[in-house]
Amino acid sequence: MSEQIMGASVVQSVDNVALLPAYLAAGTAVLVLLADLLVARGRVTLATAAVGSAATALGAVLVGTRGERRTFCVGPDCSYVFGGRAALVAVVVALLTLGVLALSGPLLRAGQSPTGEYCFLLACSMTGGVVLGAAGDLITLIVALETLTLPLYVLVGLRRGSLASAEAAVTFFVVSVVATTLTLLGAALLYAATGGLHLGRIGTLLADRPEVLDLPLTTAAVALILLGLAFKVAAVPFHAWAPATYDGAPLPVAAYLSTASKLGGVVALLAVVQYALPADVTGPVLALLAVLTMTVGNLVALRQRRTVRLLAWSSVAQAGYILAPLGALALASGRTADARTAAYAAAVAYAVFFVVLELAAFAAVVALRPAGADGGMVDDLRGAARRHPWRAAALGLALIGLAGLPPGLAGLFAKVTVVRSLLDGGAGWLAVVVAVNAVIGLAYYLRLTAALWSAPSDGKALASGGAALASGSPARAVDDSALPAGAGARLVGAVPVGVAGGGTPAVAPVRAWTVGVVLAVATAVALLLGFAPQLVLDIAAR
């Protein structure tokens, strides 16, 4: 009899419908490998990855509309729970992967990165992101988060002939390994203290036995888990890796790091805080991290002159806004279940709005820069609206949305949602900090937006576009001092330039229809979300 009971507890039913999005994502990685091996044509490999990403997003939508589905369950505890929020995360990650693949077309055609390896690594990372949203225990959560992150170490350094890319990859690898080690150690200590791995079981045990929270072992476990996940979202003071990594990576990879990777870190942190760790313990820590992150990110972004570094520091500041509702839970008096749900939903909704606007911003930078170049300097974009009005307008709209101003209604609604959740929770002082930082952020967002419509500066023949290509592509180095000031020039082996506005030659931007499609779709989605933001908030609350 005991053997039958033991055997029944080991055998678990598997809901293959719930696992369909994960199957599609993992199948995409396998198909990309086969396409690269058997066909050995870059376009076919890239198309295979794109079709697989679209199929994954469609599969997540279909499964998500069928209600919450659970699998790998032991009693009431399940390791994989695919509900509305998991479907939202899976769809966003899959579409972000599709967008980054489209942005990578010019980079891959230029031969700066091997197409097969590039697409395979992106598909593997997408698989981790799809599973992450449905993780119901610490093992699944950490494995999914690392599956999302591990391929990015290679992608950051996959640009041939670029020392900056290799340095960024090493920096990202070292920091992420330390963060992963801390998270794993914290999870092990939490298991030793509670005897549970499922997030819901850990939360129930800590709520029923508050004396466990007073144990030094539990305190160390909570601290290590929060510390490790804070690295993943680039929260201050664990943020130093992000600007250098973003700036050294190829632009499409930087876009993925700033969107899908950031979303993965937020989802992992949210799952642990919502289901496992008590808000009374994590709230003060997250509130402090939120204040430091948004303040330091905005203040340092004011001094940035490189485009990608400015976007990287603004991404750090945006992480602070996402953490604010989570940090306010323990500080609010008279909390209710509805107030906690609203705070969690506000954090998820803000993350979704942010990644859409951030993707639009990076897509516009890719569209305005030469194929294979880095983000260059802010001054390189000066006067871009006079030469490429639609691309510059899309970038301006994304920046205004990130700043939280109309007509970027998605960004405005995101900040209003966060502030409202803080006020409803009784954390008015934190709402004031968010509002003050939003005002500080206006300075650099509007400065970059204004540069797009400003007259190009006189007396410089070429900004950093050609030199950036020399360091990140097979193109030969360009000595801009050797070019005649005020005269047009066409560089052999680099990029064609011409005089714009009577002074600064304009670096010819990338011409690829895939980049234009991503820019148009991301801008359209950002606009539509601004008119129907409650849809995202309702899904995030499930």
Side-chain angles (χ1 to χ4, degrees):
M1 182 66 178
S2 61
E3 293 180 357
Q4 293 178 355
I5 295 175
M6 184 179 298
S9 64
V10 172
V11 177
Q12 302 177 12
S13 62
V14 177
D15 187 348
N16 290 299
V17 175
L19 293 170
L20 178 62
Y23 290 156
L24 291 171
T28 299
V30 174
L31 288 176
V32 166
L33 275 182
L34 293 176
D36 186 54
L37 177 65
L38 300 177
V39 182
R41 296 183 61 182
R43 289 187 177 182
V44 175
T45 304
L46 187 60
T48 302
V51 171
S53 301
T56 302
L58 179 60
V61 171
L62 295 176
V63 177
T65 56
R66 299 170 67 93
E68 185 177 272
R69 305 185 71 94
R70 296 170 173 261
T71 189
F72 301 122
C73 299
V74 178
D77 303 317
C78 299
S79 297
Y80 194 89
V81 182
F82 200 90
R85 185 182 299 176
L88 176 64
V89 173
V91 170
V92 172
V93 170
L95 292 180
L96 287 174
T97 304
L98 179 60
V100 170
L101 285 169
L103 293 179
S104 304
L107 177 75
L108 298 176
R109 283 196 296 273
Q112 293 191 2
S113 297
T115 303
E117 290 86 341
Y118 189 96
C119 295
F120 171 72
L121 291 169
L122 269 180
C124 290
S125 182
M126 175 182 67
T127 304
V130 169
V131 175
L132 181 61
D137 62 49
L138 287 174
I139 295 178
T140 305
L141 185 78
I142 295 175
V143 170
L145 184 59
E146 290 312 304
T147 305
L148 170 64
T149 306
L150 279 172
L152 299 179
Y153 305 154
V154 184
L155 281 172
V156 169
L158 204 58
R159 187 167 57 178
R160 294 189 176 109
S162 174
L163 179 61
S165 181
E167 292 174 346
V170 172
T171 301
F172 186 31
F173 172 75
V174 172
V175 172
S176 292
V177 166
V178 173
T180 302
T181 303
L182 294 176
T183 307
L184 285 171
L185 180 58
L189 294 178
L190 189 61
Y191 174 71
T194 62
L197 285 173
H198 292 88
L199 301 177
R201 177 173 291 276
I202 294 173
T204 301
L205 188 145
L206 293 178
D208 294 341
R209 298 174 55 191
E211 66 274 8
V212 177
L213 289 172
D214 298 329
L215 297 176
L217 191 65
T218 308
T219 303
V222 173
L224 289 172
I225 290 175
L226 291 181
L227 182 65
L229 295 179
F231 273 104
K232 298 297 184 181
V233 299
V236 175
F238 316 111
H239 65 289
W241 63 271
T245 301
Y246 288 16
D247 200 23
L251 270 178
V253 177
Y256 193 84
L257 278 170
S258 186
T259 54
S261 179
K262 176 84 71 174
L263 179 63
V266 170
V267 170
L269 184 61
L270 180 67
V272 171
V273 171
Q274 182 174 3
Y275 298 111
L277 304 181
D280 293 337
V281 177
T282 60
V285 178
L286 292 177
L288 177 62
L289 288 178
V291 172
L292 289 175
T293 301
M294 68 179 78
T295 303
V296 173
N298 281 320
L299 292 178
V300 179
L302 291 172
R303 299 178 55 83
Q304 299 306 306
R305 294 296 178 264
R306 291 189 60 81
T307 305
V308 173
R309 281 187 176 266
L310 188 149
L311 291 176
W313 282 104
S314 77
S315 175
V316 171
Q318 298 287 345
Y321 301 138
I322 297 172
L323 294 176
L326 306 180
L329 289 176
L331 307 178
S333 58
R335 297 189 312 274
T336 63
D338 290 340
R340 290 194 295 270
T341 301
Y344 299 134
V348 174
Y350 193 100
V352 172
F353 291 137
F354 161 71
V355 299
V356 172
L357 291 167
E358 188 82 346
L359 180 64
F362 269 98
V365 174
V366 172
L368 290 169
R369 298 288 294 158
D374 61 11
M377 307 293 289
V378 172
D379 286 342
D380 296 341
L381 299 177
R382 188 175 296 275
R386 304 185 180 196
R387 303 184 297 271
H388 312 286
W390 292 109
R391 303 181 189 187
L395 177 57
L397 180 63
L399 294 172
I400 290 174
L402 289 170
L405 294 177
L409 297 180
L412 176 63
F413 178 81
K415 285 187 169 55
V416 169
T417 301
V418 167
V419 171
R420 185 177 62 184
S421 69
L422 296 176
L423 294 176
D424 292 343
W429 69 270
L430 193 51
V432 173
V433 174
V434 169
V436 171
N437 273 278
V439 174
I440 296 175
L442 293 178
Y444 58 84
Y445 283 125
L446 294 181
R447 173 168 60 86
L448 179 54
T449 304
L452 299 174
W453 277 268
S454 300
S457 56
D458 294 332
K460 293 183 180 179
L462 184 64
S464 61
L469 274 179
S471 63
S473 72
R476 67 176 178 84
V478 179
D479 183 5
D480 53 357
S481 62
L483 295 176
R490 186 167 298 275
L491 304 177
V492 179
V495 291
V497 297
V499 176
T504 304
V507 181
V510 63
R511 295 185 180 276
W513 67 269
T514 55
V515 175
V517 169
V518 175
L519 181 57
V521 171
T523 304
V525 171
L527 289 172
L528 291 175
L529 288 180
F531 289 101
Q534 192 63 37
L535 176 64
V536 177
L537 195 60
D538 291 341
I539 296 175
R542 295 179 183 177

